[in-house]
Structure formats: structure tokens, C-alpha cells
Amino acid sequence: DSLDPALIQFSGDYTLAQLIFPPLLTLDDHNQVAPWGADSWKASADGLTWTLHIRPGMKWSDGVPIDAGTYAYSINRSLDPCTAGGTGYFLSGTGPELITDSVAFNGGTCPAGMSVSPETLVGKSIVAPDPQTLVLHLSHPAAYFPVTLTYATAWAQPKQLIERYGNGCIQYDRETCLGWTDYLAGCGGNLFTVKRWDHAGHLDLVRNEGFWGTKPKLREIAATLYSDTAVAWADYQAGQGDYVSSVPVPEVAHASAIRGFHADPDAAISYLAPDWTVPPFNDVRVRQAFALALDRRKLAAWVAYPLPEPPASSVLPTIHLVPEGIPGYNPNLADPAGRTGEEALSPDVAKAGALWKAYLADKWGGDASKAPRVALFYRPQRQQALVIESRVDEYLSEWHAALPGVQVVAYELDATATCAIHGCRRMLSIAQWVMQYPDPQDVLSLLMRTGPDDNSTGISVPSADALMDKADANPDLALRMQQYQEAEQQLVTAVAWIPVAQSMNYYCVRPRVAGGYHERMSEIASLAVWQRVFVLNV
């Protein structure tokens, strides 16, 4: 889609572009923040000022230095409305504002005909007092701020190319757009430089001999870019390439027998979202009953991959809000009935039924026919409507079996039809959430704190709010994660969402690729992996 760090939104672009443009901070194999362009960072006592020490001696392949001024320019450009990037919110924040004045700046209007806004945050909340010092001022304390600086929006960008050739382009604008990323040949400031990018499916990189740190063992990377994962997989099976980034789910059973097949948890959760503001889901007993009635092992494969015959282990059944593999994941999390581990993945029909009956007795005189009819909304995926309907039927059958007299009707999420029937209120929706950066704040505080715009279903657990507020600002990492785990437990008990499954990341690497290739998230291997892997001459 793009190699412009200010425009990158997809993991395939991220994993290749990170090899060219040096991140300010990066993530290690375990999704922990690690030094890179900055070798140290520290917050002020009040948590409002972050000071980063930039490594000396970094430079672009044309000899232009990469220093604090480079990163100040790059962060400002990622927020500049004239850049028209879609990920400025990583630095401005999607809840309380991060970098001071960044929300108004990023949300401003670019003057007609301009490629750079006349406004700037450089020298104000983004300051480079000397070449090795970068200072960022925040509007509120945010202990999680360093993880947001690992994303592409804070990678070094080559000002000399951008000012000469103009802003970068995304591929579907190719007929009308030409910019600096069309002139990347020979450019690089990280592990590799660009040898060729033909915009027709080929990106070739060569080792950057001027890189400041441990140079990669690989001399060259030849990436073939596909628009169809099935074609990529077919070519891999035919012997082309050393790695394929995505194994199509229907092929997983076959691929799992191949040497070099990997199946790792991905940072995406499929879930049901009950609307807390409308009956019957304004009653915690109903939310708990609907959650406890589900057999997650049975449902999991249908959630993310609507296939007639979903393969075994295509996704992980889960009760979690924070995905496995992410810092702060709680292996001891309990469901609303207090069950943990494998037991929590099975239905508790007795408990679900008892909660439902207690609700009916309290609110409707025990008469289920008087209780509100539940509208379940779903969105057809991949034009497989009949398969989706079969999946929805599985949810309905489990609820009808566990909750006597419950009325649940499924509606395709079409504005015209649903608005006419229900006034656009989504009482219960099938949804999927993908983590933006690996920190519990990204799901808990942003989506489940009382009040924020991103909390679209009225979730409100004041005691969890207090824990999340403390965790967001807590500089003690271990205590911060403990506070998030306590908040997550309260939210799971109150059924903020009904998690069902965590997606999986499937990829294959030839046995001749040595050094321990491993992806920390879907399609993204750490820079440390790229420094150590090599290809055996066999």
C-alpha cells in the first residue's frame, strides 16, 4: 500500500518499511519496548515530558545525518494534516491527548495547494534542543507513551527526499499521484537500503553497509508482493521463495505438516458487543447469562474464518480482552462464573439459566414472553452470507438451549433494514478488534472506560475506570500491568464484551532459513530477528 512511514496502516507494509527507516523505539520478540534510534528515554517526575537520547552517528545512505531534528520533523509530519496520513492518532491519542496540541493540529485543515501545513509543533511540544536530544511534551501523564513511539509514525523520514519530490502515495492513487517514495532506489537509514521497488510486485533490498549497529547477515532481500494469498501460497508450494507471510486458512491442515510451518496467536479478538444502555443488556445478569451459555471451543473456528469446514485450531477460543502474547495478558483470568483456564471455555448452562430466570423473575414476573426481544446484528464477510447465517444460527441455538424462552433474532447489518426496525440500536453485535499497539491500554482504557467516544456500547465499571486511570499514568511497569489485569477482571465479570476467539497468524519459513525466524505479530518480525537470520547454502 505504501512505504511512507506516515501513511503505513498494514502489517505487510510495516514489516518491510521498518528495514529501511529507523524507528525511534522498537519492539522485541516479546512485544516489549526496546531501544533503537533512541538508546534511552525517561519521563519527568510529573509524567508530562519525555526526553529521548538519540544515538550518535546515524545517517541516511546519502550521508545526511539522522538525529533528533530528523525525528522531530518526522513526528510532526506524521501529524501534519497536509500529509493526510491515517495513523496520526497514535501520537495524538484516541482518548486523552498525548503530544500537546496534537489533536487540533492533526485534525486541522490543510490549506489548498499546500503539501506542508503552515502550522507546526516543532519547537513547541516537539523539541530538539541538540542533535542527540528529543523532548516531547504531553497533555497528560501516559506511562504507555513509549509503545506508541514504536509505530511507523515515529520512524525517521528522509526530509531531503520529501522536500524534493513531495508527499508519498498509496498504491490505489498511482494514476494520479507521484511522490518521494517513487525515488527510494538507493535510500535507506536502517538495516537495508532500497535496490528496486517497481510498484508491480517487487521490492528488493540490500544490506546497508553504513548501518550504525550489528549489520544483518543477509546481503539481500527480494520480496514478491501478492494481491492474493492463495496465489502466494501456491507459488511457495511450487518451490518459490523462502517465506510466505500468510497461509490461507483452508490450507492450514495441510500446511501444518510442512517443516517450517508456524501458528502463533495474533493480536485480534472476535467478540460479541452487548449494548449496556438498552434492555435487556442493561442488566448484568443477562450479559453474564449470554456469555456463560456459549461453547467457545465449538464457536471459535466459525468466528474469524467463515468456512464450511473450519480447520482445527484455526483460532483460539478465549474469554480474554487482552490477547495472549501481549504484555499484561492474564493467564489466571476468570469468567463471570469464576472459572479459569480450559474450564472457562466450556458453557455453564446451569449458571446461565439461573441468571436468566432470576432476571425474568425480578423484571417480568417470570414470563420470558414479556422480556425484550434481542436483536443480534452481524455483517456478512467475504460474500459468504449463507455461511455467516449458519454461524449465527450456532449462537442462537446455544442461547435458546440455555436460556428458556429467550427471544433472539439475527439481522444482517444493513442500515436501511435495521434502522427501520430498531432505530439503529445494535443491542448485540458480532465484531472483531485488532490491537493497534501491544499494550493493555489500547483495548481497556481506550474502549472500555466510562464515557469516551470509542466506548460505543455504554460500558461503565467505575472501579475499573479508577484502576485504568492509575495504570495509564503508572511508571512502575509491573504494578501498571497488575492494575490493568485487575481492571480486565472486573470488566470480564461485568461482561463489557463477550470474547469468543483470538485469531491466529499462520506462515511458513523454509528449513534453510536459520537464526530463529519468528514473528511477534501478524507478518511482523522484530528488527533483532532480521539482524540474526541467514540462509544456509544447501
Side-chain angles (χ1 to χ4, degrees):
D1 195 49
S2 179
L3 288 180
D4 185 339
L7 302 182
I8 288 173
Q9 299 192 51
F10 300 104
S11 57
D13 301 353
Y14 182 114
T15 199
L16 292 167
Q18 70 169 341
L19 303 177
I20 306 165
F21 307 105
L24 181 58
L25 300 174
T26 192
L27 292 162
D28 65 15
D29 291 358
H30 306 290
N31 282 311
Q32 299 283 355
V33 179
W36 200 259
D39 57 17
S40 64
W41 57 97
K42 185 178 181 180
S44 59
D46 62 6
L48 295 177
T49 300
W50 286 82
T51 302
L52 300 100
H53 179 264
I54 307 302
R55 294 181 187 275
M58 295 192 297
K59 60 183 178 180
W60 296 106
S61 48
D62 61 4
V64 174
I66 299 173
D67 56 21
T70 309
Y71 285 105
Y73 163 82
S74 302
I75 290 171
N76 188 79
R77 179 175 176 269
S78 293
L79 288 163
D80 192 328
C82 292
T83 304
T87 54
Y89 61 85
F90 277 81
L91 301 172
S92 64
T94 53
E97 183 175 68
L98 288 177
I99 296 177
T100 301
D101 296 330
S102 59
V103 171
F105 178 53
N106 184 235
T109 301
C110 179
M114 298 191 69
S115 60
V116 179
S117 172
E119 303 295 327
T120 183
L121 298 180
V122 175
K124 301 172 184 175
S125 54
I126 303 172
V127 183
D130 62 67
Q132 263 57 68
T133 306
L134 178 66
V135 180
L136 302 173
H137 298 285
L138 307 190
S139 293
H140 77 286
Y144 59 90
F145 184 57
V147 76
T148 71
L149 296 178
T150 67
Y151 196 71
T153 43
W155 296 354
Q157 302 168 24
K159 182 178 180 180
Q160 66 275 27
L161 274 184
I162 297 168
E163 290 188 338
R164 182 175 181 181
Y165 296 112
N167 281 329
C169 306
I170 50 178
Q171 289 302 291
Y172 55 75
D173 283 340
R174 294 297 309 163
E175 294 182 1
T176 59
C177 180
L178 196 66
W180 70 273
T181 53
D182 291 282
Y183 302 93
L184 278 175
C187 178
N190 209 24
L191 299 176
F192 293 85
T193 63
V194 177
K195 179 180 180 180
R196 175 183 66 145
W197 186 25
D198 62 6
H199 303 289
H202 303 95
L203 175 65
D204 299 336
L205 307 176
V206 293
R207 182 167 56 199
N208 180 7
E209 300 300 339
F211 176 65
W212 53 267
T214 302
K215 294 179 178 60
K217 294 180 172 63
L218 293 172
R219 291 192 300 272
E220 187 166 348
I221 295 173
T224 302
L225 312 176
Y226 291 84
S227 59
D228 188 325
T229 57
V231 177
W233 174 242
D235 282 356
Y236 184 83
Q237 288 185 292
Q240 298 184 34
D242 293 302
Y243 157 84
V244 62
S245 64
S246 182
V247 177
V249 173
E251 298 293 328
V252 166
H254 166 67
S256 62
I258 298 174
R259 285 185 63 196
F261 171 77
H262 290 257
D264 299 325
D266 205 357
I269 298 290
S270 294
Y271 65 97
L272 294 151
D275 190 335
W276 285 38
T277 67
V278 295
F281 294 112
N282 60 346
D283 192 301
V284 65
R285 294 170 295 185
V286 177
R287 298 195 300 270
Q288 291 176 336
F290 270 68
L292 292 171
L294 297 180
D295 185 341
R296 285 168 172 77
R297 290 191 188 89
K298 186 176 181 181
L299 288 166
W302 296 96
V303 174
Y305 302 105
L307 304 169
E309 294 295 335
S313 302
S314 64
V315 291
L316 293 173
T318 190
I319 63 167
H320 290 257
L321 304 172
V322 177
E324 181 179 345
I326 298 302
Y329 175 79
N330 181 8
N332 298 314
L333 188 73
D335 74 355
R339 304 175 305 162
T340 61
E342 291 294 312
E343 184 184 9
L345 302 177
S346 60
D348 187 337
V349 174
K351 180 70 172 178
L355 287 164
W356 173 246
K357 290 175 182 177
Y359 164 75
L360 292 178
D362 185 29
K363 299 292 185 179
W364 307 104
D367 187 350
S369 67
K370 296 179 180 179
R373 183 177 64 170
V374 172
L376 171 68
F377 295 97
Y378 67 96
R379 188 185 303 277
Q381 300 176 23
R382 306 178 190 176
Q383 299 179 344
Q384 296 187 28
L386 292 177
V387 175
I388 294 293
E389 288 165 4
S390 298
R391 182 188 69 185
V392 169
D393 285 346
E394 193 66 44
Y395 282 108
L396 301 185
S397 66
E398 294 196 5
W399 287 322
H400 289 147
L403 312 177
V406 72
Q407 302 176 74
V408 187
V409 181
Y411 296 95
E412 181 178 324
L413 191 57
D414 174 82
T416 303
T418 57
C419 286
I421 300 171
H422 296 286
C424 290
R425 292 312 299 254
R426 303 181 191 179
M427 299 172 69
L428 187 63
S429 302
I430 296 175
Q432 187 180 57
W433 166 81
V434 180
M435 180 161 271
Q436 299 166 327
Y437 46 84
D439 192 275
Q441 184 270 346
D442 185 48
V443 58
L444 302 181
S445 304
L446 289 187
L447 302 181
M448 299 183 187
R449 184 191 276 111
T450 303
D453 292 340
D454 289 334
N455 179 354
S456 60
T457 56
I459 299 165
S460 182
V461 182
S463 56
D465 292 343
L467 284 165
M468 291 184 285
D469 288 343
K470 290 178 181 178
D472 288 353
N474 195 337
D476 184 323
L477 179 61
L479 182 56
R480 185 164 77 90
M481 292 302 160
Q482 179 183 328
Q483 289 167 336
Y484 282 134
Q485 288 181 348
E486 292 175 11
E488 181 187 22
Q489 182 61 76
Q490 293 184 17
L491 290 163
V492 167
T493 300
V495 193
W497 289 351
I498 303 175
V500 177
Q502 179 175 348
S503 299
M504 294 289 290
N505 176 28
Y506 300 117
Y507 58 97
C508 276
V509 185
R510 303 280 184 206
R512 72 183 192 131
V513 177
Y517 183 89
H518 168 74
E519 295 182 356
R520 60 174 185 80
M521 286 176 65
S522 179
E523 300 181 28
I524 301 175
S526 71
L527 290 171
V529 165
W530 287 106
Q531 286 177 301
R532 70 178 183 246
V533 297
F534 58 96
V535 178
L536 296 168
N537 186 19
V538 294

